[in-house]
Structure formats: structure tokens, C-alpha cells
Amino acid sequence: MTGTAEARQFYARLMAAHAGSADPRLEEAFATVPREAFLGPGPWTIIAGDGRVETPTADPSHIYQNVLVALDADKGINNGEPILHAMWIGKVAPKSGEVVTHIGAGTGYYTALLAKLVAPGAVIAFELDAALAARAEENLAAFGNVTVIHGNAVASPLPPSDIVYVNAGVAAPPAAWLKALKSGGRMVFPWRPAERVALAVLVTSTESGFACRPFMGSWFIPCVGASTTDPSAKIPDREKAARSRSIWLISDKAPDRTATAIIGDVWFSSRGVDGSGDERAERQNLLRPLSGRRPSRRP
């Protein structure tokens, strides 16, 4: 086994362990999808805190670690931390035959992992940046179950989806994204309703409504068209945001006293869809921000 192959195998084991998933296909996906194929030619620029470090060579072993790799340094767009994505993929639990909508696909690395996990199901990948979308289309050409769309997922209709996987920060998920979820469908998104509030949220579509659970800190670049709020919005602090347990469409149900946030066409409640009472957030996984396409530059 070569050094690169050995590094990739160990990296895959680590990612599967962090995912907390019993699905053995997750380790296989990380082991068989070459990350370097989606990053452009090396050496690569690694984002480290507020600085940058160049890999000493183009040896792919350097990028089989939990590192952010710059895709467009001027725009702050990176290939995000693999541990974050492993945990997110573990949460949404892709199954064979499912349909995934990936919003903010970048150059397609995490799209490819999702495509492996849902095959023969389909992945529809949105990328707003024209250069990145072109690279993603080229990188994913061998994946017959992936369609890359150069466009804004906020302004475009989403297909009915088992999973909506969002890699751009939103003040709140647009109502159309929630409506796109099939029964039992899952969405994971970076919630950024305020400057100092940045949480990853898992949403599940149930017969009773949209259950949600913030589960970790997470920083991503803003989603164009869904990252700002109007003056009438009710913006939560971090504690209130972390207590959210359900999301509702205002057109379906008016906000009540349990509202932790009211933003655009949706509102968040501290009460679960099953009527369960107000809960305090579990803090241990909400304190450490992990990065997707951009590193945190704040405490």
C-alpha cells in the first residue's frame, strides 16, 4: 500500500468514527472518493486559523487530515473540514435510492460522497459560483447520478428530496426548502440568524411538522438570498437558538409564546412537534464551531 493509499484508508476510518454511524458504507465512501481530485493541482493552501499554510509538495497525503483547503482564497471559499461533513452525513443517514439536494456544492467532493451513498438514487447539486460550478460538473462527470446546476437554490425550485444538504449559512431555511422534504426527509443546514449565533441544525419532516435539533457549532459563508433578515424579525441569542425543537411555516401556524425565532416565512419553537415541553440545550457539542467552506474568524 502506498503512502497516499494508507493515509486515505486511515482518514476514512477516522471520518467514519466521527460520524457516529453504523453504516459501513460511510467509511468505504471516504476511502474510495479521492479528495485531491476535487481540489485542483497541488501543492494546496491549507487554512489554519487566520493564516494559510502551503503543503510542502503535491503529495495527496497532506490533505487526508481534518483541514480546510482553499478553493478560492479571495472569496473565502474552501473545501470544508471533513470531520464536520462526516458528522453531518452521519446525521442525515443517506440510504440507497434516495434523492439528495446539495446546496453549495463547491467543486463537488462532498457531493461525490453523497452520490456514492445514495446510488442508484440521485443528487442534484446547486452551486452559485460559475467557476466552481464548472469545476464541479467536470469533477463529477463520472458520477451518472449527479446533476450540477449553476444557479441560486433560493430562487430555483427544489425537487422533492429525501435529504437537503446545505453548505451555506442562512438566517432561516426558506419555506420552499422545507416543503421540498418528503415525508421522513432530513435537512441539515448552518443556521446564522445573528452575528454570534452559528449552529448546525438537523430538521426531520414528520406527520406532525418539522422537528429540528441544533447539534453543533458551525460557520459557513452566507447563502445569497437567505442570509439577511428584515427589521421585523425576531432574532434569537445563542441560548434561545439552541433550544429550538421545531420549525413552522407561518402560513400553517401562527407564532406563539414558544417562538425562539421568527424570520421570513418561518418560525422556530422551543416546543417539539409532538408537544413536548421546553428543553435546555445540550451544550457540549454546541460550543466548538467547525467550518464548512470558511473558517471561523471569531471566538
Side-chain angles (χ1 to χ4, degrees), residues 2 63 80 90 107 145-146 166 212 240 277 291:
T2 66
I63 48 89
T107 56
N145 62 334
V146 176
V166 185
C212 79
K240 286 184 178 179
S291 299

Side-chain angles (χ1 to χ4, degrees), residues 220-270:
F220 279 75
I221 63 172
C223 179
V224 174
S227 60
T228 58
T229 60
D230 59 52
S232 64
K234 177 180 178 179
I235 306 299
D237 59 23
R238 187 178 178 84
E239 181 180 354
K240 286 184 178 179
R243 288 166 51 201
S244 299
R245 293 296 178 265
S246 59
I247 304 178
W248 302 91
L249 306 181
I250 291 177
S251 60
D252 291 342
K253 181 177 180 179
D256 58 29
R257 63 179 181 80
T258 68
T260 56
I262 306 172
I263 301 169
D265 297 330
V266 305
W267 63 283
F268 295 71
S269 171
S270 60

Side-chain angles (χ1 to χ4, degrees), residues 38-121:
F38 297 85
L39 302 180
W44 299 279
T45 300
I46 306 298
I47 306 300
D50 289 335
R52 303 175 185 175
V53 178
E54 298 293 323
T55 61
T57 68
D59 183 345
S61 299
H62 297 305
I63 48 89
Y64 285 108
Q65 306 177 60
N66 189 47
V67 292
L68 286 158
V69 182
L71 297 175
D72 188 327
D74 292 336
K75 295 180 180 178
I77 299 175
N78 310 304
N79 181 250
E81 289 182 357
I83 285 178
L84 176 146
H85 287 276
M87 293 172 70
W88 283 27
I89 293 171
K91 288 285 186 184
V92 296
K95 298 176 180 64
S96 177
E98 290 192 319
V99 175
V100 178
T101 297
H102 186 187
I103 298 171
T107 56
Y109 176 54
Y110 296 108
T111 312
L113 292 169
L114 292 165
K116 291 272 290 187
L117 291 165
V118 300

Side-chain angles (χ1 to χ4, degrees), residues 210-211 245-246 248 253 269-279:
F210 298 102
R245 293 296 178 265
S246 59
W248 302 91
K253 181 177 180 179
S269 171
S270 60
R271 190 171 295 278
V273 295
D274 60 356
S276 57
D278 210 340
E279 299 178 43

Side-chain angles (χ1 to χ4, degrees), residues 37-38 102 104-109 111-112 123-151:
F38 297 85
H102 186 187
T107 56
Y109 176 54
T111 312
V123 180
I124 297 87
F126 284 87
E127 176 51 55
L128 183 60
D129 186 281
L132 294 181
R135 289 174 63 183
E137 189 165 17
E138 181 179 352
N139 293 339
L140 293 163
F143 291 80
N145 62 334
V146 176
T147 301
V148 177
I149 298 174
H150 169 222

